[in-house]
Amino acid sequence: MKHVIAAVTTILALAAMFKMYQSDKEVHKLEEIRNIIAKTKMEVKLERTVQSIEKKNETKSDDMEMEKEREKKRKEVEAKLQALKNKAGNLAAFDVSPLYKQKCASCHGVNGEGIIGPKLIGKSAKEVYSALSEFKSGTRKNYVMYGLLSKMNDEQIKALSEEIGRFSEKLERK
């Protein structure tokens, strides 16, 4: 009988060891799964999401203000473009020299009404010559004007000044 009890005990011990082996194997599988999950783990920061949602709610009013500002700027640009179109429509108010068209018209208008640059109608030839000379010499700072005038000679500057000085007369004759 001792042998039977020893055999049963051995079989039970072997069965227990087999179960332990299977349990260890399952534990290792679980550890491997945890490692895989840990490697591919994506952290979701709930605080950030909540904060961004709160910020979105706060910025909705800011977005509306920004949209109003964009709309205002768009209308301003449209108004400026319309002004340019209107001034371009007055192209034939009076004739100007090719030199004026090339150097001045894009900013001061074809007839000196002013677009981006100031209005020139009503300025005397002396005033214009003085301003142009100051721009060319750099005494008066304006890089666009300096760039346009730097390669012009004094005769061309005088001719432009005299032409611009007569704009008022030309406009009245029209």
Side-chain angles (χ1 to χ4, degrees):
M1 188 75 169
K2 281 183 175 181
H3 294 321
V4 174
I5 292 176
V8 171
T9 306
T10 305
I11 291 174
L12 286 174
L14 285 174
M17 285 175 41
F18 181 72
K19 277 292 191 183
M20 289 295 285
Y21 172 75
Q22 284 182 331
S23 294
D24 277 349
K25 198 173 176 184
E26 290 298 315
V27 168
H28 286 293
K29 282 183 186 177
L30 286 173
E31 286 178 10
E32 286 179 20
I33 291 171
R34 281 188 194 132
N35 289 337
I36 291 170
I37 290 172
K39 286 180 185 176
T40 60
K41 185 177 182 181
M42 293 176 57
E43 289 186 33
V44 177
K45 295 194 177 189
L46 186 59
E47 285 180 32
R48 247 187 175 166
T49 306
V50 171
Q51 287 174 350
S52 67
I53 290 171
E54 289 173 357
K55 283 182 183 177
K56 282 181 185 177
N57 290 337
E58 290 173 7
T59 57
K60 279 185 183 179
S61 61
D62 293 340
D63 289 344
M64 291 175 69
E65 289 176 26
M66 286 175 60
E67 188 60 36
K68 286 179 184 177
E69 190 66 32
R70 283 188 202 123
E71 184 63 24
K72 183 180 175 184
K73 286 182 182 180
R74 187 185 62 76
K75 285 181 181 180
E76 287 175 5
V77 168
E78 284 179 5
K80 287 179 182 178
L81 282 174
Q82 188 59 44
L84 285 173
K85 288 177 185 176
N86 292 341
K87 290 183 187 228
N90 295 333
L91 187 64
F94 55 82
D95 289 330
V96 293
S97 69
L99 181 62
Y100 178 85
K101 285 180 186 176
Q102 178 190 14
K103 299 286 185 178
C104 311
S106 61
C107 294
H108 296 283
V110 176
N111 298 313
E113 303 101 358
I115 299 175
I116 298 168
K119 185 176 178 178
L120 298 176
I121 292 179
K123 304 253 184 204
S124 70
K126 193 175 186 178
E127 257 182 299
V128 175
Y129 180 76
S130 173
L132 293 177
S133 297
E134 289 172 359
F135 284 128
K136 184 176 179 179
S137 70
T139 308
R140 197 166 166 184
K141 300 289 183 199
N142 184 315
Y143 296 108
V144 174
M145 292 295 293
Y146 177 78
L148 290 169
L149 298 168
S150 63
K151 295 184 181 175
M152 289 176 63
N153 60 39
D154 199 47
E155 290 175 16
Q156 290 174 314
I157 292 175
K158 282 181 184 176
L160 268 179
S161 302
E162 290 171 11
E163 180 180 6
I164 293 168
R166 290 190 302 267
F167 278 2
S168 294
E169 296 171 23
K170 287 183 176 183
L171 188 60
E172 287 174 13
R173 281 189 245 147
K174 254 319 190 180

